[in-house]
Amino acid sequence: MRLPTIFIDGDQGTTGLQIHERLRDRADLQLVTLPAAERKDAQRRAEAINACDVAILCLPDAAAREAAGFIRNPAVRVIDASSAHRTHPDWVYGFPEMAEEHAQRIAQARRVTNPGCYPTGAIALLRPLVEAGLLPRDYPAAVYATSGYSGGGRAAIDAHEASDAPNVAASQVYGLALEHKHTPEIQGYAGLAHRPFFVPAYGAYRQGIVLTVPIELRLLAGGVDGARLQACLAQHYANARHVKVLSLEETKAMTHLDPQALNGTNDLQLGVFANAGHGQVLLSAVFDNLGKGASGAAVQNLELMLSA
């Protein structure tokens, strides 16, 4: 039986290397890579893309659009790990747990766009609550998140891990112009009527994300409290292998969130921290920005596509 061929275009970048590592020992597929001298040769890349069963694009946005434009073979399927196509209507958003039967949509898709790391956590928390009517679509959502410095790609990793690297602050907030490219993605797939307030940061650790969304209960319908929000999330992800929703008993016992707790996995942990006296709730997501936030998600989508 012929094994499906998988070509990673951009396998020397952070996400590409991680995907290659996750796939290289698989006996159920054939992993195709180009020699170093041919990795930037447009003709060889085009040939490799059109000869494979599934192409995984781990490229800057402009290069990913170029690579998608190379495709002439209608049988080729694509997973784009860049942000080039994340809000494009012709591409299926690669977050299997996002909605009922969405995994099946990914399995049957020809073009899949991998979610961004931060949007994975934000959408996972917000979309089920919006769809259930517990969170109004016009809620003034704010998303605060800190990622490991690997979220900045190879350049950031090299800068932090060089032998002569200067000491860096424990957290560096960025995106101060409020134009981060992930914001439209969060708004669109979370189902929000207005642009959310998104404040990202890099921490002085390699990988892992902790993301939080504060909720004021006074802005929600009467009777909506932390217990109802937690129950909604728990029901939505009840059968999700890679998503765990903490119980209120578990979150009450917690004093901190470790952004590195799920590193090396494709798992996503969601929590609801409630203070009824103050009428406030804090939603949280912890996951690996190189796992569920990037390469792990790509491999999960690949497995769905190969199962179709």
Side-chain angles (χ1 to χ4, degrees):
M1 185 178 74
R2 189 182 75 86
L3 297 177
T5 56
I6 314 301
F7 171 58
I8 305 174
D9 193 3
D11 62 352
Q12 295 304 299
T14 305
T15 300
L17 284 169
Q18 291 268 328
I19 293 173
H20 189 279
E21 183 176 336
R22 289 170 183 256
L23 298 179
R24 66 186 178 189
D25 295 326
R26 294 269 295 260
D28 59 336
L29 53 82
Q30 181 180 356
L31 192 59
V32 177
T33 59
L34 292 177
E38 298 179 1
R39 286 175 187 147
K40 294 185 179 181
D41 184 320
Q43 181 176 341
R44 285 294 294 119
R45 289 171 54 222
E47 291 171 355
I49 289 174
N50 283 284
C52 74
D53 292 299
V54 182
I56 304 178
L57 310 181
C58 301
L59 304 162
D61 288 3
R65 294 187 187 97
E66 177 188 50
F70 288 156
I71 299 173
R72 298 292 179 266
N73 181 352
V76 173
R77 306 172 77 188
V78 183
I79 299 172
D80 183 7
S82 81
S83 61
H85 300 100
R86 285 184 185 149
T87 57
H88 196 294
D90 295 337
W91 289 65
V92 174
Y93 195 60
F95 186 5
E97 301 89 354
M98 183 175 75
E100 187 177 357
E101 299 182 355
H102 195 69
Q104 188 61 29
R105 285 193 65 204
I106 294 170
Q108 297 173 349
R110 312 304 303 177
R111 304 287 183 267
V112 173
T113 175
N114 228 42
C117 55
Y118 294 125
T120 295
I123 295 163
L125 290 168
L126 293 169
R127 183 182 177 112
L129 304 181
V130 170
E131 287 192 332
L134 299 180
L135 197 69
R137 292 188 182 274
D138 62 353
Y139 186 85
V143 179
Y144 302 91
T146 301
S147 168
Y149 56 75
S150 59
R154 284 289 294 274
I157 293 174
D158 291 344
H160 280 80
E161 297 183 354
S163 59
D164 59 348
N167 291 329
V168 295
S171 182
Q172 297 177 324
V173 177
Y174 66 104
L176 302 181
L178 305 181
E179 291 285 357
H180 197 285
K181 65 180 181 180
H182 284 167
T183 310
E185 182 183 348
I186 295 172
Q187 179 184 345
Y189 292 108
L192 298 171
H194 305 295
R195 184 182 179 90
F197 203 98
F198 176 47
V199 183
Y202 287 137
Y205 58 94
R206 193 176 198 276
Q207 65 194 82
I209 285 180
V210 59
L211 178 147
T212 58
V213 179
I215 301 294
E216 293 282 355
L217 294 178
R218 60 184 172 81
L219 300 180
L220 308 187
V224 177
D225 57 9
R228 287 190 64 185
L229 297 177
Q230 190 277 340
C232 177
L233 292 174
Q235 180 180 7
H236 182 89
Y237 296 108
N239 299 314
R241 180 163 60 100
H242 292 291
V243 183
K244 177 185 178 181
V245 179
L246 297 171
S247 68
L248 290 180
E249 289 71 24
E250 287 175 302
T251 56
K252 284 178 183 177
M254 298 175 70
T255 59
H256 68 281
L257 291 167
D258 178 3
Q260 303 178 84
L262 295 178
N263 281 359
T265 76
N266 190 46
D267 296 334
L268 173 64
Q269 182 188 85
L270 307 180
V272 177
F273 298 82
N275 187 310
H278 297 317
Q280 295 177 321
V281 168
L282 186 69
L283 308 177
S284 71
V286 173
F287 55 107
D288 185 352
N289 61 291
L290 299 181
K292 187 62 170 167
S295 59
V299 172
Q300 183 181 357
N301 289 327
L302 175 65
E303 290 173 344
L304 287 169
M305 295 167 76
L306 294 179
S307 71

